[in-house]
């Protein structure tokens, strides 16, 4: 177990290293001068303010020290508390950290239920489809259709149909414009209403993939040796299916880690379509206003979040698969 | 009470047509008998062992009957067969190494299986532990996962589980092919001991290794291309084989019980015919040194002396 | 989307084609195949594959849709007198009609023209990106699986790092800094980051093939590593690689469309993702101009869905176990 988690930990550490290094390298080695670029794009009328901004960023980049020291300083600023991710250009002079923290709850409110529910429902649906031919004939094509649908298109369709045509749900922002965030029924109700469509969009696309995966895995497990042996000893189909399902869950848990990036991408475009004030929308704003500090801050944050999720999934995996615990044979790393 | 198989036909369904893997097989296994089934790959012996307990998805029961202890087995009805499985007819599969659910503790798996068959696991547990001990396993294996056991240990665990309900017929399907020679012998002897202790009433031991089965079997049946070639008491079959295929099979082995290090094994030239559209007449005739005109007609499987049957025109 | 990873990779054993019987040791029928007909079947294998592939309804339907869109992308622009970004080509925000088959946008651009050009660009990017991903992934997988040892460990470590990395977010940063000027750059960026599962799957396949007799035979007779890979391993994995390429193609389409949707795509051209971006940005949904966003999205879904369908069909063809059921 220790070896398995240790190996994973090493990969994560290296990944973090690579991500931080890319992040550090890009502004320094790209052609042109990103700082004056950013400052001129900020469009400050007051030349003195522009000069101050330029000085601030040059100081922040620490261009006056040797390059290796710049690199070390960069790491140092990340590990200070609170992490110093710089000041946003798009929303000057707010710290990038604050902006990210403000957007995070919205993203998590979409992502966590969408990922967990689509995974759970998809697995159940897939297992059922593997069992009943009639259900299979509907679940499978629908699942393929869903998984082939680009996130942004489903989001757009939901805005148009659920939001505009039917008018059932609001299709922009996280709560009504005339409300201020507070702990009240009307605010929470508005929050919930605004949450439905973007959640559905993420949930539905992801659902298809899980259902297909589970169906194929269960069918595969039902043909495995241990299933055959149970069948030969007259075990009822119920027991055989239960074992097949449990075994099929293992790749699906690993798959959860592999799919994180995909769902995250879906979340970005979904937030853009719904104008939902999470990290995805913040990311788009950073891109359109070429706010590199904000962009890098979000990326670092997302990378670290993904690594943490991966690690959590690894621990869950160790818990459910005895083969990783005995240390005799690790699952594919 | 015994096993009677009468004209059993089981085909594989493929897009190219039916593969006639088991084409009219008739034999009897008496109580207390250990019958070896030998033949090359693809001769139908695995199909036979599967047919007696559980047809796989592509197999179709085309005709014939299997009668065990007076009741006809409902081969094609998977659900109805469940009543007989494990209690009346049981199997040690050739994939014993991977026969156990990898993510369940062995004891838990056994309990869930037995309880699903309406057996009181608690009551059976002392007997289970006694039998594990008999094959040299501690009761600790019950709290382990399959991955924690060596190949031999898994094999023995499966042997104990398969015979736990004292079935009247046990099928051992190529159980030794994955093992080294000394372990093979130990496994074969354990099977014989199980019979002696009446854990199983009779045993069908399927193998491609005649020299191994000769050590424990009372009778040996040789199959070729989906049909029976010869069946006789073990001694007779090995010492006085009458079917040219059996003769070649025996002569291609080192003499039983003697080690001929220097003597090369003479393989049997040629390969068995495809069973998708097998040739008429004797199926061995293309490889048979004794083939003559008559062999275009199919030879019947006839008893030439008590307990010794052959399907060959030359042997009659 | 799990199927992209688990289906071809997960059933790797079954999907692996049998070794060429001609190079196997003579007289050796060492299989537990109950059919006894295995050698004969294997001999007819290659022509048979094509035969079954062209008869499998899923493959036929999937390929037909893809080819239809390809032709539309190639020929469609010829049927249009407008440029893809030409404003006031027709009335503003007009519904589909006999003059403007798929309607017009809020600025009077012709949706049909945009769709045809966009489909063309989408195919360009996706085919190039898939080729690049396939090249990187297969090379990494082959070499890691075949050479083994330290090299294997290093290559797999790289693969695992890129696998854990939220690739899309990294691509966003890279493109935000460097900019994507044309479809080739976009294909390169996608191709460079979208190969990890291929490397892992191909490595697993190579490992299982390497252990087979015919590769040993080649190695014993002193054939060089590269030519063993090319002559013995790659042909035996051909079916698997075809399926891998199709999945990469489908993945690249969505990847490119998503980049375009965030306005990180090539400047100046037209693509299906960019159509969605413009429709979304100019509030086509609240204006009720459904033709503006329904067609490009449906095109993406149809192409990727058909690719998946083709793959499922090919899986049935290459994997006789599924076929004979």
């Amino acid at each position: 177990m220790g070896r398995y988690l240790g190996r994973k930990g090493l990969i994560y550490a290296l990944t973090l290293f690579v991500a931080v290094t890319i992040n550090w390298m890009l502004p320094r080695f790209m052609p042109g001068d990103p700082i004056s670029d950013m400052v001129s794009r900020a469009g400050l009328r007051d030349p003195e303010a522009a000069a101050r901004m330029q000085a601030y960023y040059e100081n922040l980049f620490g261009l006056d020290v040797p390059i290796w020291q710049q690199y070390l300083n960069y790491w140092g600023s990340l590990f200070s508390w609170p992490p110093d991710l710089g000041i946003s250009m798009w929303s000057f002079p707010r710290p990038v950290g604050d902006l990210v923290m403000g957007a995070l709850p919205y993203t998590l409110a979409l992502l966590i239920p969408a990922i967990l529910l689509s995974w759970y429902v998809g697995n159940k649906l897939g297992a059922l489809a593997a069992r009943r031919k009639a259900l299979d004939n509907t679940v499978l094509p629908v699942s393929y259709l869903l998984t082939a649908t680009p996130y942004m298109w489903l989001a757009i369709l939901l805005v148009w149909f659920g939001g505009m045509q039917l008018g059932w749900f609001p299709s922009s922002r996280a709560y009504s414009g005339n409300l201020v965030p507070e702990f009240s029924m009307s605010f929470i109700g508005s929050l919930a209403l605004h949450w439905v469509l973007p959640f559905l969009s993420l949930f539905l696309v992801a659902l298809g993939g899980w259902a297909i995966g589970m169906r194929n895995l269960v069918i595969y497990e039902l043909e495995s040796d241990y299933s055959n042996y149970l069948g030969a000893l007259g075990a009822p189909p119920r027991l055989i299916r239960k074992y097949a399902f449990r075994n099929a869950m293992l790749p699906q848990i690993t798959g959860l880690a592999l799919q994180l990036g995909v769902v995250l991408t879906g979340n970005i475009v979904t937030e853009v379509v719904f104008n939902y004030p999470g990290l995805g929308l913040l990311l788009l704003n950073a891109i359109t206003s070429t706010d590199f500090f904000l962009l890098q801050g979000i990326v670092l944050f997302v990378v670290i979040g993904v690594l943490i999720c991966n690690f959590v999934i690894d621990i869950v995996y160790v818990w459910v698969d005895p083969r990783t615990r005995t240390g005799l044979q690790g699952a594919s790393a | 009470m015994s096993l009677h198989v009468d004209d059993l036909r089981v085909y594989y369904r493929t897009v190219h047509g039916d593969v006639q893997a088991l084409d009219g097989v008739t034999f009897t296994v008496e109580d207390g008998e250990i019958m070896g089934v030998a033949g090359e790959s693809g001769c139908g012996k695995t199909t036979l062992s599967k047919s007696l307990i559980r047809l796989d998805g592509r197999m179709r029961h085309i005709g014939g009957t299997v009668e065990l202890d007076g009741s006809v087995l409902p081969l094609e009805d998977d659900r109805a067969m469940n009543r007989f499985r494990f209690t009346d007819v049981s199997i040690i599969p050739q994939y014993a190494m991977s026969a156990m659910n990898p993510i369940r503790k062995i004891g838990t798996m056994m309990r869930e299986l037995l309880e699903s068959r309406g057996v009181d696991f608690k009551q059976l547990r002392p007997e289970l532990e006694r039998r594990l001990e008999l094959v040299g396993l501690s009761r600790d294996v019950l709290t382990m996962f399959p991955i924690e056991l060596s190949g031999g240990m898994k094999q023995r665990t499966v042997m104990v589980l398969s015979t736990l309900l004292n079935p009247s017929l046990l099928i051992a399907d190529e159980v030794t092919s994955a093992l080294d020679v000394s372990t093979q012998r130990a496994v074969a002897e354990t099977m014989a001991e199980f019979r002696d202790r009446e854990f199983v009433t009779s045993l069908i031991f399927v193998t491609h290794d005649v020299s191994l089965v000769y050590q424990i079997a009372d009778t040996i049946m040789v199959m070729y291309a989906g049909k029976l070639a010869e069946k006789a008491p073990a001694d007779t079959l090995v010492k006085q084989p009458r079917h040219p295929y059996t003769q070649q099979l025996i002569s291609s082995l080192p003499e039983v019980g003697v080690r001929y290090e220097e003597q090369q094994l003479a393989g049997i030239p040629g390969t068995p015919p495809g069973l998708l559209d097998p040739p008429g007449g004797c199926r061995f005739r293309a490889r048979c040194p004794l083939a003559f005109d008559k062999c275009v007609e199919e030879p019947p499987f006839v008893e030439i002396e008590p307990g010794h049957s052959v399907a060959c025109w030359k042997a009659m | 989307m799990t199927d992209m990873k688990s289906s071809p990779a997960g059933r790797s054993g079954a999907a692996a084609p049998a070794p060429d019987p001609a190079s196997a040791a003579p007289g050796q029928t060492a299989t537990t195949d109950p059919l006894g007909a295995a050698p004969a079947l294997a001999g007819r294998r290659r022509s048979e594959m094509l035969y079954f592939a062209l008869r499998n309804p899923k493959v036929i339907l999937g390929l037909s849709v893809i080819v239809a869109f390809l032709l539309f992308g190639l020929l469609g622009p010829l049927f249009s007198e407008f440029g893809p970004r030409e404003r006031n080509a027709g009335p503003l925000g007009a519904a589909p009609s006999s003059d403007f088959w798929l309607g017009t946008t809020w600025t009077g651009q012709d949706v049909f023209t945009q769709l045809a050009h966009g489909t063309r660009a989408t195919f360009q990017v996706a085919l190039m990106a898939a080729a690049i991903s396939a090249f990187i992934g297969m090379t990494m997988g082959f070499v890691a699986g075949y050479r083994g040892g330290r090299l294997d460990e290093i290559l797999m470590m790289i693969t695992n790092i890129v696998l854990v990395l939220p690739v899309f977010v990294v691509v966003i940063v890279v493109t935000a800094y460097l900019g994507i000027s044309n479809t080739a750059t976009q294909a390169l960026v996608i191709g460079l980051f979208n190969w990890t599962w291929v490397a892992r799957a191909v490595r697993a396949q190579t490992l299982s093939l390497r252990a087979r007799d015919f590769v040993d035979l080649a190695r014993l007779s002193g054939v060089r590593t590269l030519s063993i890979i090319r002559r013995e391993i790659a042909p035996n994995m051909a079916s698997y690689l075809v399926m891998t390429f199709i999945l990469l193609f489908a993945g690249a389409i969505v990847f490119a469309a998503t980049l375009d949707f965030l306005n990180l795509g090539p400047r100046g051209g037209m693509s299906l993702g960019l159509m969605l971006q413009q429709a979304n940005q100019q509030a086509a949904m609240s204006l009720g101009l459904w033709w503006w966003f329904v067609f490009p999205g449906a095109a993406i879904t149809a192409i990727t869905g058909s690719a998946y369908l083709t793959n499922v069909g090919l899986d049935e063809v290459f994997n006789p176990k599924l076929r004979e059921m």
Side-chain angles (χ1 to χ4, degrees), chain B residues 3-11 20-29 35-38 43-49 51-52 61-67 75 204 221-231 275 283 298 300-301 309 311:
Chain B
L3 173 78
H4 297 285
V5 175
D6 185 30
D7 196 29
L8 183 63
R9 285 166 203 277
V10 173
Y11 293 176
Q20 304 172 12
L22 200 60
D23 202 14
V25 168
T26 304
F27 63 91
T28 296
V29 180
M35 184 181 83
V37 177
C43 71
K45 55 190 195 302
T46 292
T47 310
L48 174 65
S49 61
S51 302
L52 294 180
H61 177 213
I62 302 296
T65 55
V66 175
E67 196 186 306
L75 296 186
I204 295 183
M221 185 165 87
V222 175
M223 294 184 67
Y224 186 80
K227 287 182 176 291
L228 299 186
E230 184 162 9
K231 180 175 188 273
L275 297 180
R283 290 184 178 177
E298 188 176 330
F301 190 63
S309 308

Side-chain angles (χ1 to χ4, degrees), chain B residues 72-111:
Chain B
V72 174
L73 299 182
L75 296 186
E76 63 286 329
D77 186 342
D78 193 49
R79 296 243 162 167
M81 266 303 282
N82 268 355
R83 195 160 64 78
F84 297 95
R85 292 181 182 133
F86 207 0
T87 50
D88 297 81
V89 50
S90 187
I91 189 168
I92 300 174
Q94 51 184 339
Y95 49 80
M97 303 300 145
S98 54
M100 289 183 287
N101 185 350
I103 59 167
R104 264 275 192 273
K105 283 185 180 157
I106 290 169
T108 315
M109 186 269 289
M110 289 183 175
R111 178 172 53 74

Side-chain angles (χ1 to χ4, degrees), chain A residues 49 69 115 134 143 145 160 171 176 208 225 253 277 317 324:
Chain A
Q69 197 161 358
I115 291 176
S143 298
L145 190 68
W160 172 59
S171 55
S176 298
D225 288 342
I253 292 173
Y317 194 86
T324 54

